[in-house]
Amino acid sequence: MQQKEAVRKMFDNIAGSYDSLNHIMSLDADKSWRKTMLGKLGEGVDGRPLKVLDLACGTGDSTIAIARGLPRAKVTGLDLSEGMLKVMEGKVEKEGLGDRITAVRGDGENLPFSESSFDRVAIAFGIRNFQNREQGLAEMLRVLVPGGRLVVLELSLPEQKVLRALFKCYFLHILPFIGGLISGNRGAYRYLPESVLRFPPKDIFLNMLTSAGFVNVGHKALTFGICRMYWGEKA
């Protein structure tokens, strides 16, 4: 609980500068990664409206992208950080999407929703911050309808040795300096890269999805493996 509270406070602290720094952190590729995620979320929909939960929604970039890309969907964005949600709410209002997007402050490991509440669950660059990923995955499965789909985006280390070395150098040395300079919180931008390095390799995470009860699990590497998309369905 202390770790979770520390992470919440950290995100509250950097909420104002998070969007610009997130683009720096991802080398501005996060927009294309979200488009790929959106394609997987909308796959097999046949135009019907969906109820979508965007977990660890942060400042709402993914939430807004989902609402734009699935024009009839009702999207709920949930995050632990009140500061991030305040930024999101301002962006949602500016986009005129307040009738289709709902912001909820909550814990991804203890979701405040009943069983089978959503057709889709998305989580972009947030699952690595979960204190108990197994519990979080169990909750995601619980709130999905039968046949519903989970789609996860997460940063990762490239497998190619030279790219891996360059990426680690950027992530562990250059990014904390830039992030600290812009946000005034260098500690946050040491934590964020380190959380990527601690995230399980793809085979282990795929096994975690299967162990949680998901079926038809799969994976796709994006941008030389800097980002990975995972998915699974509820039987």
Side-chain angles (χ1 to χ4, degrees):
M1 185 59 70
Q2 287 181 345
Q3 177 186 339
K4 189 177 294 186
E5 181 65 12
V7 170
R8 182 193 66 77
K9 288 181 178 179
M10 179 195 73
F11 279 108
D12 278 348
N13 183 263
I14 64 173
S17 58
Y18 183 76
D19 279 349
S20 57
L21 284 167
N22 198 39
H23 298 318
I24 293 171
M25 186 172 174
S26 68
L27 305 176
D28 210 33
D30 55 303
K31 297 172 187 176
S32 66
W33 299 336
R34 287 189 178 92
K35 287 182 181 178
T36 303
M37 179 182 74
L38 184 61
K40 197 66 178 176
L41 287 170
E43 195 174 80
V45 172
D46 296 328
R48 68 182 179 86
L50 294 176
K51 291 183 179 179
V52 183
L53 174 61
D54 184 24
L55 272 179
C57 64
T59 60
D61 277 358
S62 294
T63 319
I64 291 168
I66 292 166
R68 283 176 177 165
L70 301 173
R72 299 175 64 197
K74 296 287 187 179
V75 190
T76 300
L78 181 141
D79 201 274
L80 195 61
S81 165
E82 186 176 353
M84 300 289 266
L85 288 174
K86 283 182 178 178
V87 175
M88 171 183 161
E89 287 169 347
K91 291 161 67 175
V92 168
E93 182 179 357
K94 184 178 179 180
E95 293 287 335
L97 292 169
D99 59 330
R100 294 180 43 230
I101 293 177
T102 303
V104 176
R105 184 173 180 270
D107 185 349
E109 297 169 24
N110 186 23
L111 294 174
F113 309 111
S114 59
E115 186 173 343
S116 303
S117 294
F118 297 96
D119 301 291
R120 300 285 189 270
V121 174
I123 179 164
F125 317 116
I127 197 166
R128 69 179 185 272
N129 298 312
F130 278 40
Q131 190 169 329
N132 186 331
R133 293 190 192 101
E134 290 83 359
Q135 176 64 22
L137 290 172
E139 281 289 273
M140 295 173 210
L141 186 73
R142 180 183 67 80
V143 301
L144 276 170
V145 300
R149 183 179 300 133
L150 165 69
V151 183
V152 178
L153 281 182
E154 193 50 84
L155 295 170
S156 68
L157 287 175
E159 293 181 343
Q160 204 278 336
K161 289 183 178 179
V162 174
L163 279 176
R164 188 184 184 94
L166 290 171
F167 191 68
K168 285 180 76 173
C169 178
Y170 169 74
F171 239 42
L172 294 176
H173 302 291
I174 299 172
L175 179 62
F177 175 76
I178 296 173
L181 199 65
I182 295 174
S183 71
N185 189 334
R186 188 169 295 185
Y189 284 89
R190 284 195 299 266
Y191 163 82
L192 291 169
E194 288 168 359
S195 68
V196 173
L197 299 184
R198 290 194 300 267
F199 193 73
K202 64 179 186 297
D203 292 340
I204 293 177
F205 189 67
L206 286 167
N207 286 335
M208 289 175 68
L209 288 170
T210 301
S211 297
F214 287 96
V215 299
N216 300 325
V217 302
H219 156 270
K220 182 177 182 178
L222 306 174
T223 316
F224 308 108
I226 292 173
C227 178
R228 297 182 187 277
M229 181 173 73
Y230 301 89
W231 60 86
E233 297 176 353
K234 182 173 180 176

